Amino acid sequence: MSDRWCVTRNGVAVALRDVPDLSLDVMSADVVAAVSAGARLGCWSGDGEGRIVAVLVDDAAGELRVARARVGDRYPSLTPSCPQAHLFERELAEQFGPVAVGHPWFKPVRSHARWTPGPDAWGRAADMPIVPGVVETFRVEGEDVHEVAVGPVHAGVIEPGHFRFQCHGEQVFHLEIQLGYQHRGIERAAVGGPHPQTLHQMEAAAGDTTVGHTWAHCLVLEALADVAPPPVAQDLRATMLELERLANHVGDLGALAGDVGFQPTASFNGRLRGDFLNLTAALCGSRLGRGMLRPGGVRFGADEARRRDMTHRLHAARRDVTGSVELLFHTPSVAARFERVGIVRPEEATAAGLVGVARRACGTAVDARHDHPVGAWLQTRVDPAICGEGDVQSRAWVRWLEICDSLELVDRLLARPLDGELRVPMPSLRPDHLAIGLIEGWRGPVLHLGLTGPDGRLTRYKVVDPSFHNWMGLALALRDEQISDFPLCNKSFNLSYCGYDL
Amino acid sequence: MKVALFERLSQGHQTSRYPAVLPALPDRLRGRPTVDAAKCPPQCRVCVDACGVQAIALDPMTERPNPRVDLGKCLFCGDCEEACPTAALRFGPEHRLATSRREHLTVQQGHEYALAEQLGAELMRLYGRSLKLRVVSAGGCNGCEVDVNVLGTIGWDLGRFGISYAASPRHADGMLVCGPVTRNMELAVRKTWQAIPDPKICIAVGACAIAGGPFAGHPEQLGGAAAVVPVDLFVPGCPPHPLTILDGLLRLLGKVRG
Ligand code: SF4
């Protein structure tokens, strides 16, 4: 990778004058070279001032590299030589207008009007209403080929999204996913902030990842303000993050069991998920972890009696989860439905830039807690849990390995003193700086990027939920599968709509 | 070889005995707030300034401050409680929060909180023993959906009260909305409502669906379900505790009182 780029680390701010302004050709070529050498494109977004800010995540070196470049109304698309840029380029066009010439499937992401004045990337007039979901979709033609359209509202308590399947009988040739229904303007609203409501919006970027997003947000603000939360707060944040992982992974294994009609684990885990949510509430009063993480630290500590009570409940839940999940994995009819279904091959996962559980299920050992540690992860080593087949079974198994690890981690964290100094005051943010926060949430890495202007206010705030990278993985997993396996494959990814739509 | 039956016995009976017995709630749960205005120092407006979503207001007429909390806007984050210098404003353990009218979602000293009322006689005759709801997620954070969903698990077993979630609006008696109703979901919410046969009810769950929640004021959203359809039950919280949602549903059906 080129040494033209500014090298930084997770949660370490850099002055904007140290971030090089490259020519777009050079920056694009560097991205292609770095990604083919194993880095991941973490961000390729407009800064609101006519530039693209690019972040390369180098997991092996534990480094983040940043550069920027001016962009006009049109530029040669990066996607043909770097497929993981596909969605970033569409997002950039929708938010700020630059057309990625040569992008193979150039369409809007979230169905909203351009943020800044100027021509629309798709030539739509400024007063033209934007109707969500009314976009071109890929179509397979030929005799007996048919199209199945599902959503935005689905048959269950699920978020909205539109799915188009191109099928031949049961067989799916192609699945196209069109989201944007949950778009509520989080990134746009953060500009000029942080505002009083910004923190609450970050807590609600994706409710099931409240801790992951809020921690990433706090990390960015703390880096920009140059403060470090007290060690106890770091341990409490880690405890919260692992409880969030436990609740979601346990819930997901139950939902997967439900999708193959294996009722015992579906029922047990539905209840056990609640036990982990309740442990989160025991710390902070909210089952989703709302109101706990605050820039500068955390709100609530845990004295010995509380830690003892929580440990006791953790052990009881561990017993029941182990029994329930062993039952799932020891049942041959479940294995028959999980194995060799919804396969994503490792080279596809790399090309598409998949992250988190879905990536580890293709055999790649990446985990931000291990590769880019902050806070408690600096002392507590976490090894990535991997499994190599890329199918539903692998994604389920990675979750189980992580459940075991998180149970152990929470047990150890609860043995440490968790009260005392919880928070340090937050000074104002340093002007003209940039910082990146990267937290391994339960789905995968949550990346937040903040830039400040001369007045120390945010000029741009970017949120990248792991789902942003991984929806493509679901589309790939469905290729040549039966359409009846869609619910199972979908659940094995369990991606966020609101985290993607923002 | 694991045997399902043994595991079933070992996991035991796990359904809450609510409403006969109130389940244990976390001691730090932030339920309905209380205001003891006698403790408010003159000219104090700390709580108003601490709130990130402008849920607290002071009456300009009164001499001493008497903060009024709009539970429809409130995220129950506790920032005001933490900031209050005299512990005049506190969140209590009270989980009963749902109301029949938007303006009833007010907490202020000297103001009695009016909980949700039972449906009218005709709706009770139709839905008192069986209520099927179509859940529409319309632009929130999926947090309310988490706690709506949880009522369907064995821990709560919503079905024993005759309430269930329907997979099609045609099979539903009402709509349950989460989220502030984004512009991009407006049409879908309207169409869902139209597809539900009359007579029907609408339930707004969470701060988003009541007043836009943390996204209130954004042009990308409409500020809640009532902007699109008439709402019969408001369940505040961000998200509401499952028990708060259940309490609201059961009040509507006359299955809990008091
Ligand atoms: S009210 Fe709160 S928990 Fe519910 S959807 Fe809105 S932001 Fe999420």
Side-chain angles (χ1 to χ4, degrees):
Chain A
M1 200 189 298
S2 153
D3 43 339
R4 280 186 285 269
W5 291 52
C6 169
V7 179
T8 184
R9 287 185 174 271
N10 190 12
V12 177
V14 290
L16 279 176
R17 64 171 181 276
D18 295 331
V19 178
D21 255 309
L22 305 176
S23 87
L24 190 51
D25 295 347
V26 170
M27 190 164 88
S28 299
D30 283 351
V31 168
V32 174
V35 168
S36 55
R40 183 169 68 74
L41 187 61
C43 186
W44 175 269
S45 298
D47 70 350
E49 290 164 4
R51 276 180 294 237
I52 297 175
V53 180
V55 176
L56 285 163
V57 181
D58 186 339
D59 293 318
E63 288 173 353
L64 303 168
R65 289 160 197 244
V66 197
R68 46 190 183 160
R70 286 231 154 257
V71 61
D73 288 346
R74 303 166 70 77
Y75 70 100
S77 171
L78 189 57
T79 302
S81 39
C82 177
Q84 19 181 294
H86 74 111
L87 205 48
F88 283 120
E89 291 197 305
R90 288 168 50 188
E91 180 191 57
L92 171 71
E94 189 168 41
Q95 294 177 340
F96 299 107
V99 175
V101 180
H103 190 292
W105 201 228
F106 192 60
K107 50 184 235 173
V109 180
R110 304 188 178 100
S111 303
H112 63 75
R114 182 178 162 158
W115 290 350
T116 48
D120 178 85
W122 293 274
R124 299 171 297 190
D127 55 355
M128 201 172 114
I130 293 175
V131 186
V134 181
V135 284
E136 213 187 323
T137 50
F138 186 80
R139 291 189 81 134
V140 177
E141 280 175 4
E143 237 176 288
D144 295 339
V145 173
H146 66 277
E147 186 180 69
V148 180
V150 185
V153 186
H154 304 282
V157 186
I158 326 178
E159 296 185 81
H162 185 71
F163 299 84
R164 280 291 170 98
F165 300 87
Q166 309 295 321
C167 299
H168 181 254
E170 272 282 288
Q171 190 189 3
V172 177
F173 285 150
H174 183 70
L175 160 64
E176 187 159 351
I177 300 164
Q178 182 67 35
L179 305 180
Y181 297 92
Q182 304 274 64
H183 177 60
R184 52 214 187 280
I186 294 183
E187 283 185 5
R188 194 193 46 70
V191 174
H195 304 293
Q197 68 273 29
T198 304
L199 179 66
H200 302 296
Q201 295 187 2
M202 296 304 156
E203 289 190 310
D208 52 25
T209 316
T210 296
V211 181
H213 275 283
T214 315
W215 192 350
H217 177 63
C218 290
L219 197 54
V220 166
L221 295 189
E222 287 153 7
L224 289 170
D226 199 17
V227 295
V232 167
Q234 301 285 19
D235 284 350
L236 281 156
R237 285 180 179 182
T239 310
M240 296 281 290
L241 189 75
E242 296 314 305
L243 287 172
E244 186 168 89
R245 193 180 322 278
L246 282 165
N248 283 291
H249 281 359
V250 167
D252 280 353
L253 290 182
L256 281 167
D259 269 331
V260 298
F262 189 65
Q263 217 46 47
T265 302
S267 305
F268 300 152
N269 281 30
R271 186 267 300 183
L272 287 161
R273 170 174 193 239
D275 286 3
F276 293 108
L277 295 174
N278 289 339
L279 276 169
T280 302
L283 265 181
C284 70
S286 157
R287 288 158 42 94
L288 298 186
R290 297 289 165 87
M292 176 70 169
L293 278 71
R294 288 292 178 264
V298 297
R299 274 264 289 286
F300 302 99
D303 60 10
E304 207 197 322
R306 188 174 301 270
R307 288 190 284 118
R308 212 176 318 117
D309 169 60
M310 287 180 66
T311 306
H312 180 73
R313 288 160 62 183
L314 183 80
H315 291 170
R318 176 166 68 192
R319 208 243 43 94
D320 284 357
V321 167
T322 308
S324 171
V325 175
E326 282 182 351
L327 189 59
L328 177 77
F329 286 120
H330 286 165
T331 302
S333 61
V334 169
R337 295 285 289 111
F338 279 12
E339 287 174 0
R340 286 179 296 282
V341 172
I343 295 177
V344 180
R345 294 197 308 273
E347 58 275 19
E348 291 173 332
T350 310
L354 301 195
V355 296
V357 168
R359 184 66 180 273
R360 291 192 283 278
C362 296
T364 312
V366 285
D367 187 319
R369 292 172 296 173
H370 174 271
D371 306 328
H372 307 273
V374 287
W377 309 131
L378 289 166
Q379 291 93 40
T380 310
R381 186 189 159 97
V382 180
D383 287 313
I386 56 166
C387 187
E389 307 303 320
D391 53 1
V392 169
Q393 168 74 19
S394 292
R395 289 186 284 276
W397 189 252
V398 166
R399 284 182 170 90
W400 172 231
L401 295 176
E402 294 184 6
I403 288 171
C404 298
D405 288 347
S406 297
L407 283 164
E408 174 71 31
L409 283 167
V410 175
D411 203 22
R412 273 158 55 194
L413 286 160
L414 286 175
R416 299 182 190 170
L418 293 177
D419 45 10
E421 194 199 7
L422 298 177
R423 204 186 330 180
V424 295
M426 277 293 286
S428 38
L429 309 185
R430 285 178 286 177
D432 295 314
H433 272 67
L434 170 156
I436 299 163
L438 190 61
I439 295 297
E440 189 77 19
W442 62 276
R443 284 191 186 91
V446 174
L447 185 146
H448 285 215
L449 165 73
L451 277 77
T452 53
D455 57 355
R457 312 297 297 175
L458 293 170
T459 55
R460 174 73 168 121
Y461 197 85
K462 182 84 204 81
V463 176
V464 190
D465 187 270
S467 308
F468 189 79
H469 301 284
N470 281 3
W471 276 108
M472 190 65 194
L474 174 60
L476 292 171
L478 249 279
R479 294 248 165 112
D480 286 327
E481 285 298 346
Q482 299 190 1
I483 191 168
S484 49
D485 276 337
F486 172 68
L488 179 63
C489 292
N490 187 23
K491 211 62 65 66
S492 75
F493 283 85
N494 191 13
L495 301 174
S496 173
Y497 301 67
C498 56
Y500 174 103
D501 289 344
L502 300 173
Chain B
M1 186 74 213
K2 294 284 282 188
V3 181
L5 192 61
F6 292 154
E7 189 55 34
R8 169 73 188 79
L9 287 172
S10 133
Q11 301 255 347
H13 180 268
Q14 296 287 351
T15 304
S16 144
R17 293 189 41 224
Y18 181 81
V21 181
L22 194 66
L25 292 169
D27 62 334
R28 286 177 173 166
L29 177 84
R30 290 179 293 279
R32 195 193 304 167
T34 53
V35 177
D36 181 358
K39 290 190 183 158
C40 293
Q43 317 294 319
C44 181
R45 48 176 293 120
V46 168
C47 56
V48 178
D49 296 334
C51 180
V53 292
Q54 289 149 26
I56 310 180
L58 296 175
D59 290 333
M61 305 313 285
T62 51
E63 236 169 74
R64 288 182 77 87
N66 182 7
R68 189 176 63 243
V69 188
D70 180 348
L71 292 196
K73 291 184 179 170
C74 179
L75 305 180
F76 295 76
C77 68
D79 284 347
C80 52
E81 177 181 41
E82 192 186 39
C84 177
T86 59
L89 200 166
R90 314 197 57 165
F91 284 86
E94 177 59 80
H95 70 276
R96 297 171 303 169
L97 295 166
T99 66
S100 300
R101 303 175 60 147
R102 171 71 181 86
E103 59 272 24
H104 288 170
L105 293 167
T106 302
V107 165
Q108 188 174 31
Q109 179 152 26
H111 177 99
E112 199 172 335
Y113 197 82
L115 290 168
E117 289 152 24
Q118 187 180 317
L119 290 169
E122 176 61 8
L123 285 171
M124 274 303 287
R125 189 181 65 78
L126 286 168
Y127 303 138
R129 298 201 306 162
S130 162
L131 178 67
K132 301 223 179 302
L133 296 170
R134 174 69 161 170
V135 179
V136 182
S137 165
C141 76
N142 198 32
C144 286
E145 288 84 340
V146 166
D147 281 341
V148 166
N149 228 336
V150 112
L151 291 178
T153 65
I154 51 168
W156 299 95
D157 190 14
L158 192 60
R160 69 198 156 113
F161 303 107
I163 308 170
S164 59
Y165 305 133
S168 159
R170 299 282 187 214
H171 302 160
D173 310 316
M175 179 166 79
L176 188 156
V177 181
C178 306
V181 186
T182 50
R183 292 225 169 272
N184 288 351
M185 273 305 282
E186 179 182 358
L187 184 63
V189 172
R190 283 191 198 283
K191 283 192 172 179
T192 301
W193 181 246
Q194 281 161 9
I196 299 173
D198 281 321
K200 52 196 167 192
I201 59 169
C202 178
I203 299 167
V205 172
C208 279
I210 297 173
F215 315 107
H218 287 195
E220 291 87 350
Q221 54 83 52
L222 304 177
V228 187
V229 293
V231 175
D232 301 278
L233 183 71
F234 297 86
V235 187
C238 184
H241 192 276
L243 190 58
T244 301
I245 306 174
L246 184 58
D247 169 76
L249 293 172
L250 297 186
R251 263 168 216 286
L252 203 61
L253 300 182
K255 293 184 181 180
V256 295
R257 297 197 165 89

